[in-house]
Structures are given as C-alpha cells and as structure tokens.
C-alpha cells in the first residue's frame, strides 16, 4: 500500500491508423501528380505539336520561260510557298510569311524556331535545270535553305528539321513532276509528233530538282551542352531559391526555439525567443537576400571554371540574384502562411509544375496545351527565358530577358505582399508560435 509515493504509469505507444495512413495517401497523390506532369510532356511531342513558329521567306524574282513566240512569266517560289502553306498543318505549325530582315530579327530574338528560305534566283535555276537536262553543259540544282535556330534548344532543332524536311520533300516531288512535264512539252516537235523519250538519268534529275540545304542560323559555341546549359542553369537558380527557403526556414526556426534541432543522436530544443511572426519572416527574408548574392556569384564562378561561354557574366550574376531572391522570398512566405504543408506546396509550385512547363528541354509548342497555360506564370519558365537570353542571345531584352526580369519582380512582389498580410494577420489575432499540446 502506498500513501505518499507518486506512481508513474506509462502507456504503450500506439499509432492510430490515420497516423500512418495519411503519409501514404499524401505521397501517393503527390507522386501521381509528379508522374503525370513529367511523363505527359515527353511521351509524344509530335502529337502535341501546336503553334510551332517557323518563318517562310520567298525571295524568288521569277523568270521567263517557254519558246520565243510564247514566253510567259513564272514564279516557282510563289508556287512552292503556296504548297508549303497548304501542306504544313496549320494546327501544328505557325508558318509566318516574312521578309528576310524580319525573319532574321525574329530568329535573333528566339521568336521563330526555323526559317525556310527560297532564294531570288530559284525560278531561273529551275528553268536552267529543265533546259540543261537535255542540253550538254554544267548546271546546278536550285536551292532551298532550311535554317535552324539551335539557340532555342536541341529538341527544337530536331522538330524544325523533321517538319521542314517532310514538307520540302513533298514540294520537291511536286516541282519535279511539273518540271518533267514542262521539259516534255518543250521537246515536243512543232508538227505535233511524239516527244523523244527522256533518258533514265534525265528523269532521275528532274524527279528531284531541288537541293534542300539544312544549316544553323547562328551556331552555338562549344561549352553550351547543345543548348541545355540555359535550362540547367535556370534549374540551379530555382533550386537555390527553393532549397534555400526551406533551409533558412528550418534552421532559423530551430535557432529561435520554435522547433527542435536534431543531428544524429544529438537533440536540442532551445528556449523559445519571444518574437512575432512578422519579424521572424523579415529576418528570413533578409538572410535569403544575402544568400542570393553569394550563391549567384558561386554559380557564375563554377560556370566559368567549367568553360561555359559567359559574355555577359555580370548580367547573369544580377539576374541570378533576382531569380534566387524572388523564389526564396515567395517560398518563405508560403511556409509562413501554411507551415509545414508549405514544403509540399513549394515543391508542387516550383518543381512539379515548373520543370515540364519551362520549355527548357521540350518546347512549349510540343507539349499539351495546359503546359502553355502554366508557362504564363510558372517561375521556372520565366527564369529559363531570362537565362537563355543572357547566355545565347547576347542579353537581348526582346529574346526573353525582359519577361524574365519583370515576371521575377512580380513574383517577388506577390511573395512580399503575401508574407506581410498573413503574418501581420496572425500576429493581430494572437496566433503566436508557442508550444501547444494536443491531447486525445
């Protein structure tokens, strides 16, 4: 019998079903979203092709053909341009008829992914080929140039080549049939007798009269990973902001005594510092901004050490600071607003939805349409456009740098406003970050 002894009883630990079931459900839904987003944008780019911008430049001046008494003006370039517009699916390719200067400007700005150029002497050369097929002498095939824009991405170049080669091969066949008939007419005797039979070599030359040349508009220098360094550099900036926000949030909360610190067997829980949510967030924002200046410099130095071409390294450094700070500030505000659940929200916002809609590997025009909607506001796409413009387009404002800067500033402003409003609201309501024990 005990009178004054205090008897301590312990309860056998028992996990309620929802304690282990909740992580399974959350992770299953999380991974289902991850699998859908990442596989849907790479499974069938050709099927998803839409609004893919390609320029068509027709410089053909035409030519006069036919016998002296019945000559007529022809322009095969115009016919080919019309055939291309009819043959290339309008729901997949945005074929833009442009002058040579405008086409080059849009190629320089990354606004078009390729250009089909019909030269000024196309009809003349085609006429010479028709006559030369039955008259001795040296001749050259007429040329159509398919220019790719490798600075917009390696996968983009593949699509341009595939679309262009398929369309031009069909046009080449049609022109060959037309040219063959024209030669037969020219060889028909005036008295109406049968035209002489064309030799096999002649028929072969006339069947494919056009020489299609594929060449890059502005070749990428070595050290650019065939156009992938911009994507991975943008990914580094995004991860710096995202991981930085999570790390700063956790480590400062531990230092302020809000959460315990645990490293292996070492466990410590500092006394809680009496500080408002708003002031806590201000400190985290300050640390994030300071980190962005340091980390952006580290990325530039690493890139230079690895041989990446960086003609605008200072501009890249400043844009990196802006991008890291914008992502980090927004991530910290989300964590301040919804707590631990913000970790998942940040991963979904910046990574799961961001990477496939970035356009860094597969172009937006070769992904399902909803990726284009996401790309209008997803941070990864905006950062990628800015980095690509700096690395590949000489820091051209029109090539994506302008959008990257303004959208990063907008994202930072949204993060600042969100954090300010939520933390001040919590502080006014007396929702302090004190220890609260839930007893069931």
């Amino acid at each position: 019998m005990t009178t004054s002894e205090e008897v301590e009883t312990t309860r056998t630990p028992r996990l309620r079903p929802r304690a282990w079931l909740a992580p399974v459900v959350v992770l299953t839904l999380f991974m289902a979203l991850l699998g859908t987003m990442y596989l849907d944008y790479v499974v069938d780019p050709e099927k998803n092709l839409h609004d893919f911008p390609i320029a068509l430049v027709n410089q053909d001046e035409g030519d006069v053909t036919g016998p002296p008494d019945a000559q007529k003006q022809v322009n095969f370039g115009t016919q080919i341009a019309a055939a291309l517009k009819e043959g290339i699916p309008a729901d997949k390719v945005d074929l833009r008829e442009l002058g040579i200067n405008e086409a080059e400007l849009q190629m320089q700005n990354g606004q078009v992914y390729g250009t089909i150029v019909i030269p000024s002497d196309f009809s003349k050369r085609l006429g010479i080929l028709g006559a030369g097929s039955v008259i001795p002498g040296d001749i050259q095939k007429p040329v159509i140039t398919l220019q790719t824009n490798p600075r917009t991405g390696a996968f983009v170049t593949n699509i341009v080549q595939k679309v262009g080669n398929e369309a031009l091969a069909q046009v080449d066949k049609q022109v060959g049939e037309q040219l063959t008939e024209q030669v037969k007419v020219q060889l028909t005797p005036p008295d109406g007798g049968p035209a002489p039979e064309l030799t096999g070599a002649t028929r072969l030359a006339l069947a494919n009269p056009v020489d299609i040349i594929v060449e890059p508009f502005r070749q990428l220098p070595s050290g650019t990973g065939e156009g992938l360094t911009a994507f991975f550099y943008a990914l580094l900036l995004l991860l710096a902001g995202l991981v930085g926000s999570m790390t700063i949030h956790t480590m400062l909360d531990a230092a302020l005594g809000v959460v315990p610190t645990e490293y292996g067997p070492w466990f410590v829980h500092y006394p809680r510092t009496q500080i408002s949510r708003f002031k806590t967030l201000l400190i985290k924002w300050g640390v994030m901004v300071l980190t962005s200046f340091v980390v952006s410099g580290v990325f530039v130095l690493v890139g230079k050490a690895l041989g990446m071409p960086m003609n605008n390294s200072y501009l890249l450094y400043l844009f990196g600071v802006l991008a890291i700070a914008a992502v980090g500030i927004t991530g910290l505000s989300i964590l301040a607003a919804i707590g631990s659940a913000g970790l998942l929200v940040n991963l979904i916002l910046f990574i799961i939805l961001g990477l496939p809609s970035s356009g860094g590997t597969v172009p937006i025009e070769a992904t399902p349409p909803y990726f284009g909607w996401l790309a209008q506001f997803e941070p990864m796409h905006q950062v990628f456009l800015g980095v690509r413009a700096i690395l590949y387009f000489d820091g051209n404002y029109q090539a994506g740098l302008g959008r990257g800067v303004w959208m990063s500033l907008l994202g930072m402003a949204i993060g600042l406003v969100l954090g300010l409003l939520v933390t001040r609201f919590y502080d006014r309501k007396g929702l302090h970050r004190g220890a609260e024990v839930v007893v069931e």
Side-chain angles (χ1 to χ4, degrees):
M1 180 175 180
T2 60
T3 56
S4 60
E5 294 179 354
E6 182 179 325
V7 180
E8 181 180 343
T9 60
T10 59
R11 188 173 53 140
T12 303
R14 180 172 65 89
L15 280 178
R16 297 180 182 274
R18 68 180 183 183
W20 59 264
L21 187 59
V24 173
V25 172
V26 170
L27 284 176
T28 299
L29 295 175
F30 189 78
M31 291 303 151
L33 178 62
L34 181 67
T36 301
M37 296 295 297
Y38 276 61
L39 294 179
D40 195 19
Y41 95 108
V42 298
V43 166
D44 197 348
E46 293 181 21
K47 176 183 176 182
N48 295 322
L49 199 65
H50 62 279
D51 301 320
F52 192 84
I54 295 179
L56 173 60
V57 177
N58 177 24
Q59 297 179 295
D60 190 14
E61 297 176 352
D63 193 24
V64 177
T65 186
D69 58 343
Q71 288 188 338
K72 60 179 181 179
Q73 181 75 26
V74 295
N75 191 307
F76 287 104
T78 301
Q79 296 178 29
I80 288 177
L84 287 172
K85 287 190 293 183
E86 182 179 351
I88 295 179
D91 60 331
K92 294 183 177 294
V93 177
D94 177 16
L95 191 63
R96 307 175 182 178
E97 284 194 90
L98 304 172
I100 186 64
N101 293 333
E102 179 63 22
E104 290 181 353
L105 180 61
Q106 293 197 18
M107 290 281 276
Q108 291 172 1
N109 294 339
Q111 296 174 354
V112 294
Y113 296 150
T115 301
I116 300 172
V117 181
I118 305 172
S120 59
D121 61 350
F122 184 81
S123 291
K124 185 179 293 294
R125 282 200 180 191
L126 200 59
I128 294 174
L129 177 64
S133 62
V134 293
I135 299 175
D138 295 331
I139 57 175
Q140 292 181 337
K141 283 186 173 183
V143 172
I144 293 180
T145 303
L146 176 61
Q147 292 182 336
T148 61
N149 198 353
R151 293 171 186 259
T152 57
F155 201 89
V156 173
T157 298
N158 292 335
I159 296 177
V160 170
Q161 290 179 344
K162 183 175 180 60
V163 172
N165 286 331
E166 288 180 356
L168 290 174
Q170 185 64 30
V171 167
D172 186 28
K173 180 180 177 182
Q174 295 175 4
V175 171
E177 293 173 352
Q178 183 178 349
L179 187 62
T180 300
E181 290 300 319
Q182 179 180 321
V183 170
K184 288 180 179 180
V185 170
Q186 291 177 348
L187 293 176
T188 302
D191 58 3
E197 187 70 22
L198 298 177
T199 65
T202 299
R203 289 197 302 269
L204 185 61
L206 295 177
N208 299 105
V210 181
D211 193 5
I212 300 171
I213 298 177
V214 179
E215 64 180 20
F217 174 68
R218 292 176 65 200
Q219 187 62 272
L220 280 167
S222 60
T224 56
E226 297 298 327
L228 288 176
T229 50
F231 167 73
F232 283 102
Y233 198 96
L235 179 59
L236 286 174
L237 297 179
L238 197 82
L239 288 175
L242 176 63
V243 177
S245 67
M246 295 179 179
T247 304
I248 291 170
H249 174 78
T250 302
M251 295 186 70
L252 283 181
D253 276 356
L256 294 173
V258 178
V259 296
T261 300
E262 185 175 9
Y263 295 108
W266 182 63
F267 178 93
V268 62
H269 197 165
Y270 295 109
R272 188 186 183 287
T273 303
Q274 298 299 319
I275 185 172
S276 68
R277 290 176 179 266
F278 176 63
K279 290 183 179 179
T280 301
L281 184 58
L282 287 180
I283 295 174
K284 292 177 180 179
W285 282 347
V287 175
M288 187 71 251
V289 171
L290 177 62
T291 302
S292 68
F293 280 95
V294 177
V295 173
S296 182
V298 170
F299 287 160
V300 171
L301 292 176
V302 170
K304 283 183 171 292
L306 295 177
M308 278 180 57
M310 291 185 180
N311 296 328
N312 297 286
S313 57
Y314 185 65
L315 182 60
L316 183 64
Y317 168 73
L318 292 179
F319 182 75
V321 172
L322 174 62
I324 294 172
V327 173
I329 286 173
T330 304
L332 285 169
S333 296
I334 292 174
L335 289 167
I338 57 179
S340 299
L343 298 174
L344 287 178
V345 172
N346 283 337
L347 284 174
I348 292 173
L349 174 63
F350 294 110
I351 300 298
I352 295 182
L353 299 181
L355 261 67
S357 62
S358 68
T361 51
V362 179
I364 298 297
E365 295 83 1
T367 59
Y370 67 89
F371 284 103
W373 175 76
L374 288 172
Q376 295 179 17
F377 59 86
E378 268 296 323
M380 180 67 184
H381 182 62
Q382 325 309 325
V383 175
F384 166 71
L385 290 179
V387 171
R388 188 184 69 176
I390 296 172
L391 289 179
Y392 303 158
F393 293 97
D394 304 320
N396 192 325
Y397 187 86
Q398 300 296 330
L401 178 59
R403 177 170 176 173
V405 169
W406 287 111
M407 290 298 288
S408 296
L409 289 173
L410 176 61
M412 181 185 293
I414 292 174
L416 291 171
V417 172
L418 172 66
L420 172 65
L421 293 179
V422 170
T423 54
R424 294 303 294 266
F425 174 77
Y426 288 165
D427 288 337
R428 287 197 188 97
K429 291 293 184 179
L431 301 173
H432 303 297
R433 304 181 74 191
E436 183 177 346
V437 179
V438 179
V439 181
E440 297 185 356

